[in-house]
Amino acid sequence: MFSWLWSDPLPAGSAAPDFSLPDESGCIVHLADLRGSIVVLIFYPGDDTSVCTKQLCQFRDEWGEARARGVEIFGVNPQNARKHGEFRRKYGFPFRLLVDEGQKVGALYHTNGPIVKRTVYLIGRDGAIRFSRRGVPAPRDVLSNAV
């Protein structure tokens, strides 16, 4: 019954599960289309909450470094496009927020549950996970794996 609570994130070296999700504007993001790019996925519990806002603002503030390394960043949670759009505009996030309705992608990435398990993944150009960690890892720690 509580097995979701103790699940680990997908380990580095494993293949990143493919997905297609809409962003806050309704545009579909296909992970397969990003092959050849480095991708960061930030699974977070809620828009406009204190820890989530702080975490995403840290990645916003490191946007220049992410772009210099050729990294695409996406926030992911099950909230709707309207809430994502408001949240993105309010804090000036340069990256898109994806709507994971029903936490279907969260299940693939072991982040699903009554509350999304805060987890950050970095996916390499080859589609393999290079970094995975629960909590709020510093953007520099995540981006240092972007090679």
Side-chain angles (χ1 to χ4, degrees):
M1 179 173 172
F2 291 104
S3 61
W4 65 269
L5 188 60
W6 292 282
S7 68
D8 290 326
L10 297 172
S14 60
D18 196 21
F19 65 82
S20 296
L21 287 176
D23 69 7
E24 74 282 347
S25 300
C27 296
I28 304 297
V29 173
H30 305 278
L31 184 61
D33 292 346
L34 296 168
R35 183 62 68 94
S37 298
I38 301 168
V39 176
V40 169
L41 300 176
I42 306 164
F43 288 88
Y44 65 102
D47 292 339
D48 221 0
T49 59
S50 62
V51 176
C52 297
T53 298
K54 180 179 177 184
Q55 181 178 30
L56 294 179
C57 284
Q58 288 174 341
F59 277 91
R60 176 201 63 200
D61 296 346
E62 294 293 331
W63 182 248
E65 179 66 23
R67 297 311 297 153
R69 293 176 178 259
V71 175
E72 298 285 341
I73 298 173
F74 299 94
V76 186
N77 85 18
Q79 290 183 292
N80 65 47
R82 181 187 57 77
K83 286 194 73 104
H84 278 349
E86 290 170 359
F87 184 46
R88 184 176 180 201
R89 282 187 296 280
K90 182 175 180 179
Y91 291 98
F93 299 135
F95 46 84
R96 302 185 309 184
L97 303 178
L98 305 181
V99 179
D100 184 17
E101 188 175 347
Q103 296 189 65
K104 292 177 180 92
V105 172
L108 297 173
Y109 283 82
H110 300 183
T111 65
N112 61 313
I115 297 173
V116 172
K117 288 182 268 187
R118 185 183 310 284
T119 310
V120 178
Y121 287 98
L122 183 135
I123 302 166
R125 297 179 200 286
D126 60 356
I129 294 171
R130 301 285 177 227
F131 176 94
S132 63
R133 189 172 301 159
R134 296 267 194 246
V136 186
R140 271 188 224 106
D141 292 343
V142 178
L143 296 174
S144 69
N145 292 276
V147 291

